[in-house]
Structures are given as C-alpha cells and as structure tokens.
Amino acid sequence: MSKYGKLSPPVSPTGSSIMSPLSSMNGSSKQDARLTATSKRQKYFKRLLRFKQMDFEYAFWQMIYLFVSPQKVYRNFQYRKHTKDQWARDDPAFLVLLSFWLVVSSVGFAVVLKLTFLAFVKFILWVIFVDCIGVGIVIATFFWFVTNKYMIMAPPRGQDVEWGYAFDVHLNAFFPLLMILHLFQLFFLTYCIALPGFFPRLFGNSLWLIALGYYIYITFLGYSALPFLKNTRTLLYPITALVFVYMLSLMLDWNFSRGLSTFYTFRVST
C-alpha cells in the first residue's frame, strides 16, 4: 500500500493490452466517438470474457485511490471523455475485480454464518446479481433520470449523463462499502459486533455510518465531476438523514450488522 501511496495513478490504461489491437487501427478514436450507446455497450460485454485484454493493473489503481483520493479516479474519467468521447468505462476489468472481492467476502460470510455449500452458492448469486448489480441498475437508472431531467445546465449543449457512467459511479461507491461491511467487519462480527450491548452496537453501526457516508460522498464526486451538471451538492443531503438514523439506532438498540446477518441467513435458507 505504501508503494502506491508515493506514486500517481496512471492517467489512462493506454499501456495495457486492451489498447494494442485498437492502436493499430487508423482513426480509432474518431471511430469510437461515432459509436452509439448500444455499440459501446456491446463492445463492453464482449470484453467480459477476454481477460488478456483487460487492464487489471489500472483497475487495481482505481480501487486503491477510491480510498486514498477518489477525486483522482474521476479525473481519469474526464481524460477518457477527451480521448474516447465517453465518460463510462470501456474496460470491464474493474467489474471483474469487484466480482472477485464479492466472492472472497461471500466466502468469509459463509464461514462466519456457518452456511452449507448450497446456501453458500445461493449467497454468492444473491450478493453479485442482486445486491451489487441488480440494486446498482436501479440506483444508476434513478440518478441517470434525475440528473438528465433536473440537473443539466441550460442550454444542455448536446451533453447528457451516460447510463453507463451512472452505473460506474455506483460501482465506484460500492467498492469501499463492500470492503468495510463485507470484509473488515467480518473480523469483529461474531465476537464483538453481533453481541448485545451498547458498545458492540456503537462499533458496528459506526462502520455502517462510514460505509454509507462514503457511498454518498463518492456518488457526489462522480456527478460533480461532470461540468454540465448543476446543484450537485444536493446529492450530499442524504448524509443528514443518515446521521439522524445512526443516532436513533444507538438509542433504540438497532444493531444493523446483526440484522444483516439474520437477513442473509434467512434469505439463503428459504
């Protein structure tokens, strides 16, 4: 971690193998600029199984800087807009790495919750396709609609928020939440956080406050990075409600982590 902290993240994955077949084509950047949203989406999904063409080093850099300095991650999104005329990622490496961490955290939860193998498989499918991707599609669609409907500067000058970019913002914000609530929390869940009492509840719910607050903040950074949006600070307003619910949970004996464990166990056992 210290090795990365002294260096600046790569500006774009131009040195990766994903660029090598494209760089040999004349006028490739102009061709990408003319691609429709459907064509870009098709290219993205075609690369999902081409691991050799993915820039995992660049995706790993992004994951590190989502904790260290998330603003730098969105500067690279701005660079992609200038070079490829799209805000959204064209390399699925980040999604693949995120899926890997989802599987790792699911193994940890399966051990802590003492799930059977069948329940473990169901748990992984739920976490990846419902909790991450399914909920992400709903959230991305919501922000895509709201930002394009109410936050575009007038006149719009032909610019709008790409749905793919809205989904990328969700993935960026989801990664720190995953690492805090699905990995870091596991080491304290059984012998600390899930126990009755005020201090276990304080510790566990504080992790939820940090994780969800980080999600809101990184989401705000994602949309504030778009120069044609206005009033993006309103995306920070849910933090007020989050703090209120946090204080209420401490007074009313709501242990979010214990509730999550109960919910996960019930969901895979039915």
Side-chain angles (χ1 to χ4, degrees), residues 21-37:
L22 297 178
S23 60
S24 60
M25 299 171 59
N26 295 328
S28 61
S29 59
K30 295 181 180 179
Q31 181 181 5
D32 287 342
R34 292 192 298 266
L35 290 175
T36 63

Side-chain angles (χ1 to χ4, degrees), residues 49-225:
L49 299 177
R50 300 174 182 175
F51 296 104
K52 292 183 179 180
Q53 294 185 358
M54 298 183 193
D55 193 342
F56 289 106
E57 181 182 0
Y58 178 61
F60 185 65
W61 271 106
Q62 289 182 317
M63 288 182 168
I64 291 175
Y65 271 83
L66 284 172
F67 281 101
V68 178
S69 181
Q71 297 90 337
K72 293 184 179 181
V73 175
Y74 289 113
R75 287 179 202 156
N76 288 297
F77 277 79
Q78 293 173 337
Y79 180 86
R80 184 183 299 108
K81 175 62 178 177
H82 290 304
T83 57
K84 300 184 179 181
D85 195 35
Q86 70 177 68
W87 289 95
R89 291 184 176 98
D90 59 342
D91 182 355
F94 188 93
L95 180 60
V96 172
L97 281 183
L98 181 61
S99 300
F100 167 78
W101 288 115
L102 281 167
V103 172
V104 171
S105 64
S106 297
V107 172
F109 260 104
V111 173
V112 171
L113 300 179
K114 299 178 181 179
L115 302 179
T116 63
F117 178 75
L118 180 60
F120 165 65
V121 173
K122 291 172 63 177
F123 183 81
I124 289 181
L125 295 177
W126 270 101
V127 168
I128 294 179
F129 295 104
V130 178
D131 297 347
C132 179
I133 297 178
V135 173
I137 289 174
V138 174
I139 293 176
T141 303
F142 171 78
F143 280 112
W144 169 77
F145 174 79
V146 169
T147 52
N148 283 314
K149 182 74 173 178
Y150 302 107
M151 302 177 71
I152 294 285
M153 289 184 181
R157 295 172 296 176
Q159 300 186 87
D160 61 349
V161 179
E162 303 168 7
W163 188 91
Y165 179 79
F167 188 70
D168 279 338
V169 171
H170 162 71
L171 294 182
N172 290 342
F174 184 80
F175 176 69
L177 183 147
L178 170 71
M179 301 304 285
I180 294 172
L181 296 182
H182 268 232
L183 274 182
F184 179 77
Q185 182 179 228
L186 279 178
F187 296 100
F188 307 95
L189 188 60
T190 303
Y191 301 104
C192 177
I193 296 176
L195 297 177
F198 176 77
F199 288 105
R201 183 168 71 254
L202 174 66
F203 180 47
N205 289 6
S206 296
L207 291 180
W208 279 81
L209 176 67
I210 295 170
L212 292 176
Y214 221 141
Y215 184 95
I216 295 171
Y217 176 64
I218 293 180
T219 299
F220 156 74
L221 289 179
Y223 293 103
S224 64

Side-chain angles (χ1 to χ4, degrees), residues 238-251:
I239 290 182
T240 303
L242 180 64
V243 173
F244 174 76
V245 173
Y246 169 73
M247 300 299 295
L248 200 63
S249 70
L250 297 180
M251 294 185 291

